[in-house]
Amino acid sequence: QVQLQESGGGLVQSGGSLKLSCVGSGRSFNAMGWFRQAPGKEREFVAAIKWISARTFSARADSVKDRFTISKDSANTVSLQMNSLKPEDTAIYFCAAKSGWTGQALDRIDYTYWGQGIQVTVDS
């Protein structure tokens, strides 16, 4: 079965850092990324990366562009380095993935697979 296993969430003080990891298994992917959802709010794109052969493309939401970095660590593993965290970053973070190359913008890809979500809490 296809699985996306998220790790690295937790509680951090404002200004601190966390690193989320997503390990995919069960098949190969060509795009992986992160979305987040805070209580009472809509799901929000955070960052994503896609690749074909050796070419890699990434994108980040404006709200995190200066603070978060997405990386492809291995064939089906991505990480999200989150620095200078703010209380408004508090949310459940979901890993998303898609198999097969797509020309869609990274925030608009029809991601097929989703992780269960991992909590990130930033305390003031």
Side-chain angles (χ1 to χ4, degrees), residues 6 11 23 26 29 36 43 52 55 70 102 108 110 123:
E6 302 126 323
L11 174 66
V23 180
F29 306 103
R36 66 187 182 186
R43 186 183 66 187
I52 179 169
R55 295 189 172 187
I70 189 166
T102 178
R108 295 189 173 93
D110 55 328
D123 195 18

Side-chain angles (χ1 to χ4, degrees), residues 46-65:
V46 178
I49 188 167
K50 63 180 180 179
W51 58 93
I52 179 169
S53 297
R55 295 189 172 187
T56 304
F57 309 88
S58 63
R60 294 169 288 181
D62 289 342
S63 60
V64 306
K65 195 171 186 178

Side-chain angles (χ1 to χ4, degrees), residues 93-116:
Y93 285 68
F94 297 89
C95 181
K98 178 181 176 66
S99 180
W101 171 258
T102 178
Q104 296 173 305
L106 283 161
D107 60 339
R108 295 189 173 93
I109 289 174
D110 55 328
Y111 295 97
T112 306
Y113 305 102
W114 294 84
Q116 68 177 6

Side-chain angles (χ1 to χ4, degrees), residues 2-94:
V2 176
Q3 288 188 307
L4 300 176
Q5 295 288 342
E6 302 126 323
S7 62
L11 174 66
V12 67
Q13 297 289 313
S14 294
S17 298
L18 286 173
K19 184 178 180 180
L20 303 182
S21 293
C22 179
V23 180
S25 61
R27 69 177 303 161
S28 298
F29 306 103
N30 291 93
M32 297 180 71
W34 294 92
F35 291 76
R36 66 187 182 186
Q37 188 167 24
K41 300 182 69 175
E42 295 293 315
R43 186 183 66 187
E44 176 188 24
F45 172 78
V46 178
I49 188 167
K50 63 180 180 179
W51 58 93
I52 179 169
S53 297
R55 295 189 172 187
T56 304
F57 309 88
S58 63
R60 294 169 288 181
D62 289 342
S63 60
V64 306
K65 195 171 186 178
D66 296 332
R67 301 181 294 120
F68 293 8
T69 302
I70 189 166
S71 301
K72 180 175 178 289
D73 301 324
S74 63
N76 287 310
T77 302
V78 298
S79 62
L80 183 69
Q81 179 66 50
M82 305 185 293
N83 298 325
S84 302
L85 283 161
K86 306 173 181 179
E88 50 262 46
D89 295 316
T90 295
I92 299 175
Y93 285 68
F94 297 89

